[in-house]
Amino acid sequence: MKPLTAANKLGIYLPAAPEEFQNSMVSRSDLDALRSDPPQWLTELQTNGPFPRDVIAKKLGVSIAGLARGGVTEALTTEAIDELIASPPQWLVRERRTQIQVRKDAERIKEKQEARRTASNRPTKLRNL
């Protein structure tokens, strides 16, 4: 697989990885080896960053689009993320509130669909046959 795909699967920011990782293809067995016995550079990147946007968004409890709206365009380290959490700027408070509402709406829709399915007289479909 391409280095970017491997970096995404490992949850690391590709430009922060060593040159040999960035410039070589990674096999599935190589990826499994990196996961089971990570080298020092990988452990350091997974612990302290810099992190890609999806990891930053997850750590802050917002969406990737929320990061963009907040002006976060580059990779952040654990220290920078901790600073944002310790004294959240207004955009972060707003985006967290939005994310909570999105989750509530998704749960409400899921419950509504489930209630509709159980109230229906249609037989359940057999799946994965």
Side-chain angles (χ1 to χ4, degrees), residues 20-41:
E20 62 270 7
F21 182 82
Q22 292 181 35
N23 298 325
S24 62
M25 297 297 280
V26 179
S27 68
R28 292 198 182 275
S29 60
D30 292 340
L31 184 65
D32 291 340
L34 287 170
R35 284 180 175 154
S36 64
D37 187 27
Q40 179 61 34
W41 64 266

Side-chain angles (χ1 to χ4, degrees), residues 53-70 72 91-100 103:
R53 284 188 311 242
D54 61 331
V55 175
I56 296 169
K58 188 175 187 177
K59 287 179 180 275
L60 292 176
V62 299
S63 66
I64 295 173
L67 285 179
R69 285 189 294 269
V72 177
W91 70 265
L92 182 56
V93 173
R94 183 179 59 249
E95 290 300 330
R96 281 181 168 172
R97 214 176 302 127
T98 300
Q99 190 69 12
I100 289 169
R103 287 185 186 129

Side-chain angles (χ1 to χ4, degrees), residues 6-14 42 44-65 67 72 74-78 80-82 84-85 92 96 103:
N8 287 339
K9 290 181 181 286
L10 293 169
I12 61 170
Y13 185 58
L14 183 61
L42 180 57
E44 183 70 23
L45 283 177
Q46 289 176 332
T47 305
N48 299 321
F51 298 104
R53 284 188 311 242
D54 61 331
V55 175
I56 296 169
K58 188 175 187 177
K59 287 179 180 275
L60 292 176
V62 299
S63 66
I64 295 173
L67 285 179
V72 177
E74 68 272 348
L76 298 178
T77 62
T78 299
I81 292 170
D82 289 344
L84 284 172
I85 291 171
L92 182 56
R96 281 181 168 172
R103 287 185 186 129

Side-chain angles (χ1 to χ4, degrees), residues 67-122:
L67 285 179
R69 285 189 294 269
V72 177
T73 57
E74 68 272 348
L76 298 178
T77 62
T78 299
E79 184 178 309
I81 292 170
D82 289 344
E83 287 175 13
L84 284 172
I85 291 171
S87 57
Q90 187 59 37
W91 70 265
L92 182 56
V93 173
R94 183 179 59 249
E95 290 300 330
R96 281 181 168 172
R97 214 176 302 127
T98 300
Q99 190 69 12
I100 289 169
Q101 188 60 44
V102 167
R103 287 185 186 129
K104 284 180 182 177
D105 288 345
E107 184 62 30
R108 181 186 53 80
I109 291 168
K110 183 179 175 183
E111 288 172 359
K112 183 178 178 182
Q113 289 173 342
E114 186 62 33
R116 188 178 292 154
R117 265 190 232 108
T118 56
S120 173
N121 61 358
R122 296 175 75 187

